[in-house]
Amino acid sequence: FVNSYQFRATITRPEELPGMMIPGGPSEMVLKERKLADGCRRVYIKHFNPVNGSVESNGIFIGDFLVFVNGRPVGAGARWMDEPESPSLDEVYEMLCDRSFYPIGLTFARPHSDRGASRWGSNKNDEPISDFEADTICVTCESHSQLGFILDTTENGDIVVSDFNSVPGVFHRALSKYQEVDGHYHVAIDSINGQFVPSYATKDMV
């Protein structure tokens, strides 16, 4: 006996933790349709669009400060907590890549708009950002592959978000194991929320 060339897989959106926004959704899928010999249509997944990572999706901007990783102070956060020294940028990346840290909680800080400061760590007097003149935003993420951001350091040694990169979305991650060697997926959408996709449905209807 061998496995049938047809299989059925059910993709369910994961339950989100408090403060966590899972990247991706239906908009990440690019669909195509194929007309079969009997005149029926089947709607397939052509490929996936990249999506914004958890950090960007939760409203973090370029120039925001990373101040805590799972409650551990880094960058400006270490100064706020009177720590003798802050973890280096490489050490912060090691924390972000460590699977034991997940689900991970990241705390970012953003200077108040009336502070007269740039979001890159210096104000008119080149003074570093302090905790009482910044708003904080917390982001929760379940894996490193969903973060989607790049860090850098300021002249003051604070750690800031310098750029974003796209990540695979929730459907892309769930169906990546079904990708063929030719790069295609050959996966048709059979039902949505328990409702079967009719044979006359077009990709736009789906």
Side-chain angles (χ1 to χ4, degrees):
F1 295 93
V2 297
N3 290 331
S4 169
Y5 70 94
Q6 292 185 335
F7 62 88
R8 180 165 290 168
T10 301
I11 309 302
T12 303
R13 186 173 181 83
E15 183 177 353
E16 295 183 352
L17 297 172
M20 179 178 71
M21 183 176 295
I22 298 176
S27 61
E28 71 181 273
M29 293 186 290
V30 178
L31 305 178
K32 64 180 180 179
E33 58 185 70
R34 180 181 301 168
K35 197 168 184 178
L36 306 180
D38 60 1
C40 297
R41 286 191 180 94
R42 294 286 279 170
V43 177
Y44 292 82
I45 294 176
K46 184 177 182 180
H47 59 82
F48 294 93
N49 290 319
V51 300
N52 295 337
S54 293
V55 171
E56 185 176 7
S57 297
N58 277 275
I60 301 304
F61 298 150
I62 291 177
D64 285 348
F65 295 76
L66 178 64
V67 292
F68 293 98
V69 177
N70 280 355
R72 179 179 178 182
V74 300
R79 185 175 63 255
W80 298 350
M81 302 300 293
D82 294 324
E83 295 287 333
E85 61 180 358
S86 168
S88 67
L89 184 60
D90 288 339
E91 289 173 327
V92 171
Y93 270 119
E94 287 179 7
M95 286 188 265
L96 298 178
C97 293
D98 189 338
R99 292 185 178 181
S100 67
F101 274 62
Y102 290 86
I104 198 169
L106 305 176
T107 303
F108 296 87
R110 182 178 302 160
H112 295 159
S113 58
D114 59 352
R115 179 176 181 261
S118 76
R119 300 221 320 274
W120 288 92
S122 63
N123 59 16
K124 296 176 182 178
N125 300 316
D126 291 328
E127 296 177 356
I129 184 176
S130 60
D131 55 346
F132 63 84
E133 54 187 0
D135 298 317
T136 56
I137 308 107
C138 297
V139 176
T140 305
C141 187
E142 63 177 6
S143 72
H144 176 263
S145 64
Q146 297 179 32
L147 290 174
F149 74 128
I150 299 172
L151 298 171
D152 203 350
T153 55
T154 68
E155 294 181 358
N156 295 317
D158 295 341
I159 296 175
V160 296
V161 177
S162 63
D163 205 354
F164 296 110
N165 53 270
S166 59
V167 302
V170 59
F171 288 104
H172 191 177
R173 296 194 307 275
L175 292 170
S176 60
K177 59 184 176 183
Y178 300 120
Q179 188 175 18
E180 302 288 346
V181 293
D182 60 3
H184 298 122
Y185 288 87
H186 306 293
V187 175
I189 298 178
D190 191 53
S191 66
I192 301 174
N193 287 344
Q195 300 295 319
F196 283 101
V197 175
S199 59
Y200 58 81
T202 65
K203 63 183 179 67
D204 294 330
M205 292 173 62
V206 171

